[in-house]
Amino acid sequence: MNEDKTVSDAKTVNRPAVAVVGLGTMGAGIVEVFAKGGHPVIGIEYDDAAVERGRGILQKSTDRAVSKGKLDPDGQRALLERITFTTDTGEAAGAAVVVEAVSENLELKKSIFAKLDAVVADDAVLATNTSSLSITEIAAATAHPERVVGVHFFNPAPVQTLVELINTVHTAPAAVDRMDTLLRSLGKNPIRCGDRAGFIVNHLLITYLNRAITLYQNGFAGRDEFDAAMVERAGYPMGPFTLLDLVGLDVTLAVVERLWDESRDRVHAPAGLLRQLVAAGFLGRKSGRGFHDYAEGATTPPPVPDPVRSRIAELPEAVVLPHLNDALRMVEQGFASPADIDTGMAEGCRMPKPFDVLAERGPAAVLAGQLAIFDETAEPSHRPCRLLTELGRSEDPAAALAELRR
Ligand SMILES: NC(=O)c1ccc[n+]([C@@H]2O[C@H](COP(=O)([O-])OP(=O)(O)OC[C@H]3O[C@@H](n4cnc5c(N)ncnc54)[C@H](O)[C@@H]3O)[C@@H](O)[C@H]2O)c1
C-alpha cells in the first residue's frame, strides 16, 4: 500500500482508506465494517437525499450495536467520525480499496467501475458486492480488469462473518490476496471461488431448492412431509418449502434463471411450479403467500396435492446425494475447495457441511446411491462426477476423501 493512501492518526494508524459506492442495505453495512476496523471510509451516493438515507442506516445500525452492548458510545462516535460522505465518485481517488454496492444493474455497475478505474491509483483494488451479475463483465468496463474482484458480503454485513471472495479469469492473484488479508483483519472469514453464477453458497443452495421443487411438483412427496424429512432426517434448519417462502420465490427464480442461462445443465432448469407461483404473485412470506398461505387462519391447500403414492422413505437421499455430487463437481472443476464449500454452507445457510456428510455416509455408499438415482432418472446431470466415482471406487474411500480435504 502507498504511504500517501494511509491515514496515520491515533484512531486509524496505517489503515488504508476505503471507499464504498452505494449506501443501501449492503453498502451502509460494509461502510460500518470498515469503519469499525479503524479504516477511514468515504461513502458515496448519487444525491444528497441518498447520502442522508445511508447516514441514517449507519446511525440506526450502530445505535443497535450500542443498545446490545456490542459497541460503547465512544466507539460509536469514533466509528462514525471515520466516515465522510460525498456524491462525487471522484473522491474515491485516494482509496486503496473501493467496494461497489449499488443496485443490481449491470450497466450501472459498469459505468461506476469505468469512473473508478479512471481515478484510483494503479495499485488500488476495485471490488463489487454483486450477488448475481458477471464480475468478469463488470471488470471488462475497466482498463485494469486485473485489479477487479468480487466480495460478496452476506446480510447483515456487520454481523455475518462469511464473505465470498471471487476472482475472474483476469484477476491478479495479488489483488485477491490483498483483499483476503484485509477481510481477515476485519474479523471476516473469506472463502474463495471463481466467477460463476451463484458463487459457492447460492449455487449449491438454490440448486438444491430447485431440485426439491421439481421432485415435489412431480409427486415425489407432499410439501409438509418433505419439509419435515429434511429437518428430522438430514439436520437441515428448516425444510425447503419453508426456506423458499423466507428467501422469496422471485429472488430464487432470478438465481435459478441465471444458473440455467450460464450452465444449460438441466439440473438448473427452473421448476415449472416455481415459475407458476411467481407468475401468480405468490412470492413467499413477503407477499403473504408462497408454498404456504400466511393469512390468519388460512386453510388453503398446498399448491400441489399430496401424492397418491409418496416416496418419502427415499428422503433425504433423493436430494442430499445429488447435492454432494454438485459439491464434488465444484472441487473437481477447481472452482472451490472442500473446506471453503463446507464453511460456505455452514455459515451462509446453516446447512450441514457437504464434506462432513460425505465422510459420514462414506463415498462408496454415496456413489452407489447416486448411481441408482442416475439409473432411474437417466438424467445426465445426475451422473456421478468423476471425483465421486474415483473416491467411491478407491481402495480406501475414507482415506481418499480425507486426503482430498487436506
Ligand atoms: N440485500 C442483500 O441481501 C444482498 C446480499 C449480498 C449482496 N447484495 C448485492 O449488493 C448490492 C446492493 O444491494 P442492496 O440490497 O444494498 O440494495 P439497496 O437498494 O438497498 O442499495 C443500493 C444503493 O445503491 C445506490 N445507488 C444507485 N445508483 C447509484 C449511483 N449511481 N451511485 C451511488 N449509489 C447509487 C442507491 O441509492 C441505494 O442506496 C447489489 O449488487 C446486491 O445484489 C445484496
Side-chain angles (χ1 to χ4, degrees), residues 24-26 45-46 53 101-102 104 109 129 131 152-153 155:
T25 307
M26 295 307 294
E45 264 287 353
Y46 67 92
R53 218 171 38 232
V102 302
E104 193 73 333
K109 289 187 191 268
N129 187 50
S131 299
H152 187 233
F153 285 84
N155 189 16

